Amino acid sequence: MRVVVRTLSELCITVGTLIVLFVGYVFFWTGVQADDAMAEQIDRLQERWAQEPARPAAGTPRPPAPYRSGQPFAVMYVPRLGFTWNKPVLEGTAAGTLKKGLGHYAGTARLGQQGNFAVAGHRRTHGDPFKDFPRLRRGDAVVLTDGTTWFTYRIDQGPYRTVPTDVAVVDPVPRASGYDRPGRYLTLTTCDPEWGHSHRLIVWAHLDETQPVDEGEPEALRR
C-alpha cells in the first residue's frame, strides 16, 4: 500500500510539473517567440522599403507589389493600445502566419482600396497582439503603412461580438457594421473570451485619410 501511495504521489508531482511547464510555455515562451518573430518581420519590411524608392523619378507612386502568402506587406499602429504598439501584417490567416503577426484575410480588399481590408490577430498567446482589443472605441485611429503611404482608418463600430461562423463580418459591405454602401473599410477580428475561441470580437473602420510617407507621420501618431 505504501508503494502504491508513493507511486501515485510521484505521478501527481510529475503531472503537476508538466502542467506548470506547459502553462509557462503558453504564457511566456510563445510570447517571447512571437515578439522576436514580429520584430523580424518589421525589420525585413523596413530593409526592403529602404532599398525601394518610395516614388519613381516620374513622381508617381510605386506600383503595389502582390501580396504573397505568409509574407509581410504592412505595419499597423493603434495608438489606443499604446504609442509603442506596432505589428506586422502578413498575407493569410494560417496558424503559422498568425504566430508572426497579424493576418490579412485572403480575398478581402487590399490596403486602402475599395472594399473591406480585413485583418485577424490573436487575443492571447503568441505575443497577445489584441489582448486589449475590448478597449477600442469609436473614433480611435488605426494607422497602417505599406512603405509608400500612410493609411489612417477611424473606427465606427465595435467591439461587436459574434460567432466564428459569421463570415459576413468581412464582406465588402458587412451587414452588421452599419455601412450601407461600398467604401474603403477596415475590419479587425480576434477571439473572445480572452482565453477561449467560442466567439469573435469585431471592429469596423473607414479610411479617413492617406498621405505619402515622405511627408512624415500622420497626425494620429504624433504625441
Side-chain angles (χ1 to χ4, degrees):
M1 186 66 179
R2 192 175 300 171
V3 172
V4 172
V5 171
R6 186 190 311 163
T7 302
L8 288 175
S9 298
E10 291 176 352
L11 181 61
C12 289
I13 292 172
T14 301
V15 171
T17 301
L18 291 174
I19 291 173
V20 170
L21 290 174
F22 176 75
V23 170
Y25 171 78
V26 170
F27 273 87
F28 177 72
W29 188 243
T30 63
V32 171
Q33 291 177 313
D35 288 343
D36 288 345
M38 286 188 275
E40 180 183 356
Q41 299 302 311
I42 292 176
D43 287 344
R44 286 175 55 191
L45 275 175
Q46 292 176 338
E47 289 174 5
R48 190 175 78 205
W49 293 341
Q51 296 169 2
E52 299 173 349
R55 292 177 179 275
T60 56
R62 184 176 70 232
Y67 295 168
R68 296 169 53 202
S69 180
Q71 298 301 309
F73 62 87
V75 179
M76 179 184 292
Y77 303 79
V78 185
R80 168 71 72 176
L81 304 182
F83 275 92
T84 60
W85 191 101
N86 62 90
K87 307 296 177 187
V89 183
L90 298 85
E91 177 65 2
T93 55
T97 300
L98 292 179
K99 292 179 180 179
K100 297 183 288 186
L102 308 177
H104 170 243
Y105 285 90
T108 66
R110 291 173 61 95
L111 176 58
Q113 300 304 304
Q114 183 85 359
N116 186 7
F117 176 71
V119 176
H122 281 296
R123 178 89 175 272
R124 281 293 196 173
T125 71
H126 302 297
D128 302 339
F130 280 154
K131 175 175 67 72
D132 294 323
F133 198 92
R135 294 178 53 204
L136 297 176
R137 295 292 181 266
R138 182 173 182 174
D140 285 348
V142 180
V143 183
L144 296 104
T145 182
D146 63 358
T148 64
T149 305
W150 289 104
F151 303 87
T152 300
Y153 291 83
R154 291 284 173 182
I155 294 176
D156 294 304
Q157 186 181 142
Y160 168 82
R161 192 168 189 259
T162 188
V163 293
T165 53
D166 185 9
V167 295
V169 297
V170 298
D171 281 351
V173 184
R175 61 173 177 262
S177 65
Y179 303 134
D180 58 5
R181 65 190 66 185
R184 300 174 191 269
Y185 303 127
L186 166 70
T187 297
L188 302 181
T189 78
T190 195
C191 291
D192 193 63
E194 192 169 349
W195 289 101
H197 50 79
S198 62
H199 287 74
R200 297 289 182 268
L201 290 181
I202 316 294
V203 298
W204 289 289
H206 70 277
L207 184 61
D208 189 50
E209 62 177 352
T210 63
Q211 70 179 61
V213 295
D214 53 16
E215 292 182 3
E217 291 186 342
E219 184 176 354
L221 295 184
R222 299 174 195 159
R223 302 193 190 191

